[in-house]
Amino acid sequence: ILLLVNKNDTKVLIPDNAIRFRIIANSNSIEDQKEKIEIRNELEPIIADILNNSKSKEETKNEIDLNMNKINNVINKYDSNYNINYGLNYFPEKNYKGVTYKAGNYESLVVTLGDGLGDNWWCVLFPPLCMIEAEDSTDVEYTTMAKTLIDKYF
């Protein structure tokens, strides 16, 4: 289990068996980063809809498998070569809203655009932390919402 502590000492445990989602840009060029964000913006509501009724890790995995064509259909609209991998994938350390997520191999859905040499975007699909990533939330609000969702599912 990964222990997260924000600057106000609110502790949040991200379960090791959470499912992550990552989109890696082809490069850090303005065009490639823009494409990554456009794909993310199109995929987020589709994935939210797919996972709307998932109440367990197994249900989440099954829904991703059953709906992979919807994910592919979005990415196919773009001119990029891409690869989608569901399984154990490496994630670098990430700091978000005062919380550090450890580097390591995590069960995840990873979309790699082109050469996959650019900056990435990621979130947690299960528990559904992707849905609370509102940019205007404070560190404390984010940590509180994350803890509520984790407590609900684990």
Side-chain angles (χ1 to χ4, degrees), residues 11 16-17 46 107 122 133 151 154:
K11 293 181 174 130
D16 287 339
N17 63 347
I46 291 167
E107 185 166 356
W122 70 270
E133 301 232 346
D151 288 348
F154 290 96

Side-chain angles (χ1 to χ4, degrees), residues 13 20 28 32 34-35 45-46 68 72 83 92 99-101 105 109 113 116 121 126-127 136-137:
L13 295 175
R20 295 183 183 201
N28 282 332
D32 287 345
K34 182 179 177 212
E35 180 180 67
I46 291 167
M68 195 60 76
N72 279 302
N83 181 51
V99 174
T100 299
Y101 295 81
N105 290 308
L109 174 65
L113 303 172
W121 170 88
F126 186 82
D136 58 349
S137 67

